[in-house]
Amino acid sequence: MKDKAHDSVLLDEAVEALVINPDGTYIDCTFGRGGHSRAVLAALSEEGRLMAFDKDPQAIEKGQALEQEDSRFEIIHGSFALLEQEVRERKLFGQIDGVLMDLGVSSPQLDQAERGFSFMQDGPLDMRMDTSCGQTAADWIAETSEDDMVWAFKTYGEERYAKRIARAIIEKRQRAPITRTLQLAEMIKEAHPRWEKHKHPATRCFQAIRIAVNSELDDLSRTLEQSLECLKIGGRIVAISFHSLEDRMVKRFIQKQEKGQDFPPGLPVTEDMINRRMKKVGKFTKAGDEELARNVRARSAVMRIAEKIA
């Protein structure tokens, strides 16, 4: 299926924040359809280099085409949680100038009903970013215990009616397999006692299932730590988040690295003992009116920037 036009969110802002050395080596953790990668390459000199990761085989096809066009670029099929391993294999550990993370599901994935991410179109309950392996959303729905389902809906979806919805799903799956997106969305709709204005009642549960199936938050936590180690002094992490769970994780990571080591009150401590590793650059950035008018999906995007100082 042909992709619809895809606008990379906060494109100019992200590239300006990331590329502080045109001769440097950079990483795009989520290639998607290549919008950010192409813009980064345009900002690099002939000496610059860009590596990109993606789980999605469709994205990898696009990335391989870009590899043929531009020798400064390399695409890697896999989770960005492989970042440190891949950087070490290329003998680039501690030499990376910037890491870009455009988190969450991409517009093309949402737009293709057969990928199973959307509760607005009927398709198979898949939701895997890497369709070549792993548990599908249908498998997760069929195999997950009620307690674990409640935990996921509460933790990953921030769904206050998690128990009620999980119980309804468990009851329905005992009668017949749940294999289609609209089938599941309708069940959640029926079980949900209070709908939020302008938000489909299945939004939070679909988000939770997607995060669980793709290990999104676990991968993000590992990658933030790995990115810091792989950066050179003065290198930057630029992270664009689309929901509060991701943004909170990025924000807390930056705060922790800015604050440094905790010590008991009253203990004499020198600055070098505190071991501050990063400083945040600016507060955060959101999409402007012009971008919001062009791309409604940019409305929830938050970009945070941090620079390695030690």
Side-chain angles (χ1 to χ4, degrees):
M1 181 176 179
K2 197 178 184 327
D3 294 334
K4 293 183 181 180
H6 172 52
D7 287 328
S8 296
V9 173
L10 293 166
L11 180 65
D12 296 337
E13 295 89 341
V15 175
E16 185 181 346
L18 183 77
V19 182
I20 49 177
N21 171 21
D23 298 334
T25 300
Y26 294 87
I27 295 173
D28 181 353
C29 287
T30 47
F31 179 76
R33 294 305 179 262
H36 283 116
S37 281
R38 287 181 182 277
V40 170
L41 288 166
L44 295 181
S45 71
E46 286 303 309
E47 302 304 312
R49 180 173 177 183
L50 176 65
M51 293 163 52
F53 290 82
D54 212 291
K55 294 180 178 180
D56 189 337
Q58 293 179 359
I60 294 301
E61 277 184 38
K62 301 278 185 188
Q64 288 168 342
L66 182 55
E67 272 183 331
Q68 299 304 309
E69 292 172 34
D70 197 324
S71 60
R72 300 172 300 165
F73 177 73
E74 181 184 5
I75 188 79
I76 298 160
H77 185 194
S79 167
F80 51 56
L82 298 170
L83 186 145
E84 184 174 336
Q85 175 189 317
E86 297 291 341
V87 165
R88 283 187 180 278
E89 281 178 11
R90 289 157 181 77
K91 299 185 169 40
L92 292 169
F93 187 74
Q95 297 177 47
I96 303 299
D97 290 82
V99 177
L100 174 64
M101 303 178 188
D102 179 12
L103 302 165
V105 65
S106 72
S107 297
Q109 288 168 333
L110 282 170
D111 290 335
Q112 295 176 14
E114 66 269 22
R115 298 301 300 272
F117 289 102
S118 175
F119 44 75
M120 303 299 287
Q121 307 176 77
D122 192 39
L125 259 179
D126 194 317
M127 294 198 206
R128 290 172 300 165
M129 288 176 180
D130 186 348
T131 52
S132 68
C133 63
Q135 184 186 47
T136 66
D139 295 334
W140 189 89
I141 287 288
E143 296 162 11
T144 301
S145 71
E146 184 175 331
D147 286 348
D148 287 346
M149 200 177 286
V150 170
W151 183 88
F153 290 166
K154 276 185 179 170
T155 308
Y156 297 152
E158 299 177 295
E159 174 54 71
R160 59 186 294 205
Y161 299 106
K163 192 162 188 64
R164 182 173 178 150
I165 293 166
R167 188 169 293 140
I169 290 170
I170 300 291
E171 285 172 6
K172 301 260 184 178
R173 82 180 185 190
Q174 286 168 351
R175 291 181 230 152
I178 302 167
T179 60
R180 308 290 296 181
T181 52
L182 290 188
Q183 180 191 13
L184 177 61
E186 196 57 38
M187 288 176 190
I188 296 169
K189 208 163 148 186
E190 284 173 15
H192 207 297
R194 190 170 295 174
W195 299 1
E196 294 171 69
K197 199 174 182 183
H198 307 307
K199 185 176 271 191
H200 192 288
T203 303
R204 293 178 180 276
C205 290
F206 266 63
Q207 174 183 296
I209 297 165
R210 191 199 84 215
I211 288 171
V213 165
N214 293 290
S215 303
E216 290 178 44
L217 295 183
D218 290 342
D219 283 4
L220 175 57
S221 178
R222 289 202 299 273
T223 305
L224 286 165
E225 297 283 353
Q226 290 177 30
S227 296
L228 174 58
E229 300 307 325
C230 290
L231 286 173
K232 61 169 62 167
I233 303 297
R236 289 182 170 185
I237 292 174
V238 177
I240 303 169
S241 309
F242 289 85
H243 60 74
S244 59
L245 294 173
E246 292 169 338
D247 183 51
R248 205 177 301 141
M249 189 174 282
V250 173
K251 180 182 177 182
R252 286 175 180 168
F253 175 79
I254 294 170
Q255 287 175 335
K256 180 184 170 191
Q257 301 307 325
E258 271 198 309
K259 183 184 175 193
Q261 188 76 33
D262 278 323
F263 289 93
L267 193 72
V269 174
T270 58
E271 180 63 29
D272 61 316
M273 289 167 66
I274 295 172
N275 191 28
R276 293 187 173 97
R277 305 288 310 277
M278 303 195 89
K279 66 174 183 182
K280 70 178 176 186
V281 178
K283 193 179 177 189
F284 59 83
T285 304
K286 299 201 84 167
D289 292 342
E290 189 181 323
E291 182 167 7
L292 289 172
R294 191 176 68 244
N295 182 7
V296 70
R297 287 178 183 156
R299 70 188 181 278
S300 58
V302 176
M303 183 175 80
R304 297 186 187 272
I305 308 157
E307 188 170 298
K308 183 171 177 176
I309 58 172

